[in-house]
Amino acid sequence: MRSRVTHAVLLGLGALALVFAAGLAFVVGPRVNQLPYDLERTQTVAEAPNATFMQITNGQVAVNTGTLRSTITVSPDRAQTADLEGDLDGKAVVWVVGQEVVRTDTNDLVSAYSTALALDRKTGAALPWDKQWLDTGSDRQEVDYSGQIYKFPFGTEKKTYQIFDRDILATQPAVFVKTEEIEGLSTYQFTQEIRGGRQEVPADRLQILLGQLIPGATSGQIVYNNTRTVWVEPTTGQYIKVQEKQEKNLVADSGQSVRILDATFTYTDDTVASSADRASSNRQLLQIVTLWAPIGLAVLGLILIAIAIVLASRRGGRHSSPAAVASASSGPKPVKTSS
């Protein structure tokens, strides 16, 4: 009787372990592989030593040199996320992002922007949303975001992705280059090349720049080049390191030009270390839920079922069937012969 109970318990536990393994792999796993609603506020810092940059102070335009520090802050907007409707409901999260660039010697503000956008929770790509906006300091304007901006997809692949550039308000391809180890993590390196881009600036501001930097010029444009390199942890899609080699020239229609930006921004060592630490923790959690826990439960379930089968076979071998016993006891009796 006890062996029958043990067999039933082991068989039930084994089946239950297999059910939980399947649930983790096919139900819980896909839900974990996406941006959470309760994301914590994060900051990344990049510096550009020996930079050439334009600075406007009290209406006066000057081209200066020095070290620049860029700080980008990402904050989830839970209220806006909760108000998403239609196809975005449950699929997207709303982030509010701000950047400030200061010169490190005086801490004076050089440039800033803020923006709100909706991101796909799985791919990290921007989604169409009628309430997205961009404010570069002059006024808040509508913007049509697309492609990757602040994050790559969960399960990033070795292929080309489209990264949105805020200066040209368009996407350009970022090509997979190689795998590189950073802070003990294997990362995918992607490079985006922007050449001859045109930065959109308000007409009145452009006239101020031309009037002070290229006197006599009546029209022109800002020509923008950037080599953007991102190192991505592929499981989480998080940026571990970012470098941007930016160049901007104010070009008058007469052909005259002035370099107004020449800077290479690179994540600071502290930012790289903290980014790697967050990505490592998130990757371990994802791997436990989506890989190791399902495998462990599946193996445990199969072992329990195998033990139950072995116990059942042994019990059957120890006890002969009633028919066999009856056959043995009713066999032919020896025949007596007369002497």
Side-chain angles (χ1 to χ4, degrees), residues 41-270:
R41 176 176 175 270
T42 60
Q43 277 192 337
T44 57
V45 179
E47 290 189 347
N50 304 315
T52 298
F53 56 93
M54 180 183 68
Q55 192 170 4
I56 302 176
T57 306
N58 298 324
Q60 297 299 310
V61 182
V63 176
N64 299 316
T65 59
T67 297
L68 298 177
R69 179 185 296 117
S70 164
T71 302
I72 294 179
T73 303
V74 175
S75 302
D77 191 328
R78 295 180 177 86
Q80 287 281 17
T81 298
D83 289 340
L84 292 175
E85 299 177 345
D87 293 339
L88 296 179
D89 185 16
K91 181 181 180 181
V93 290
V94 176
W95 283 3
V96 175
V97 183
Q99 180 192 38
E100 288 188 347
V101 178
V102 301
R103 52 184 300 176
T104 58
D105 56 346
T106 63
N107 210 37
D108 289 340
L109 183 66
V110 174
S111 65
Y113 82 87
S114 58
T115 189
L117 70 166
L119 300 178
D120 188 295
R121 296 180 66 200
K122 290 184 177 294
T123 68
L127 293 172
W129 180 45
D130 58 3
K131 294 183 180 179
Q132 57 193 357
W133 52 265
L134 172 65
D135 189 340
T136 57
S138 53
D139 59 349
R140 181 174 292 191
Q141 64 189 76
E142 295 182 358
V143 59
D144 294 323
Y145 282 118
S146 61
Q148 315 302 138
I149 306 178
Y150 304 106
K151 186 185 180 301
F152 266 44
F154 287 92
T156 295
E157 301 177 48
K158 297 177 180 179
K159 67 177 187 179
T160 298
Y161 289 90
Q162 298 291 323
I163 295 181
F164 187 90
D165 185 272
R166 183 180 50 81
D167 285 306
I168 61 174
L169 299 178
T171 60
Q172 292 290 322
V175 180
F176 172 78
V177 178
K178 63 179 180 179
T179 300
E180 183 175 341
E181 184 172 304
I182 298 178
E183 296 287 330
L185 287 176
S186 177
T187 67
Y188 291 173
Q189 179 185 328
F190 298 87
T191 298
Q192 178 192 56
E193 298 279 357
I194 299 174
R195 294 292 178 266
R198 301 296 189 268
Q199 181 181 1
E200 296 292 333
V201 294
D204 56 345
R205 185 182 182 190
L206 182 61
Q207 289 302 315
I208 293 174
L209 300 182
L210 289 170
Q212 296 193 36
L213 297 179
I214 309 178
T218 57
S219 61
Q221 58 188 343
I222 295 178
V223 180
Y224 166 71
N225 300 318
N226 190 0
T227 299
R228 176 181 284 114
T229 305
V230 296
W231 288 262
V232 179
E233 196 289 306
T235 301
T236 62
Q238 293 178 236
Y239 289 165
I240 304 301
K241 181 180 177 181
V242 176
Q243 182 183 80
E244 295 192 20
K245 297 180 179 180
Q246 299 183 11
E247 178 186 297
K248 293 181 182 180
N249 293 291
L250 177 64
V251 181
D253 286 352
S254 62
Q256 295 175 282
S257 67
V258 174
R259 181 71 52 85
I260 58 174
L261 179 65
D262 188 353
T264 299
F265 288 92
T266 307
Y267 271 9
T268 63
D269 291 342
D270 287 344

Side-chain angles (χ1 to χ4, degrees), residues 319-326:
H319 300 285
S320 300
S321 66
V325 174

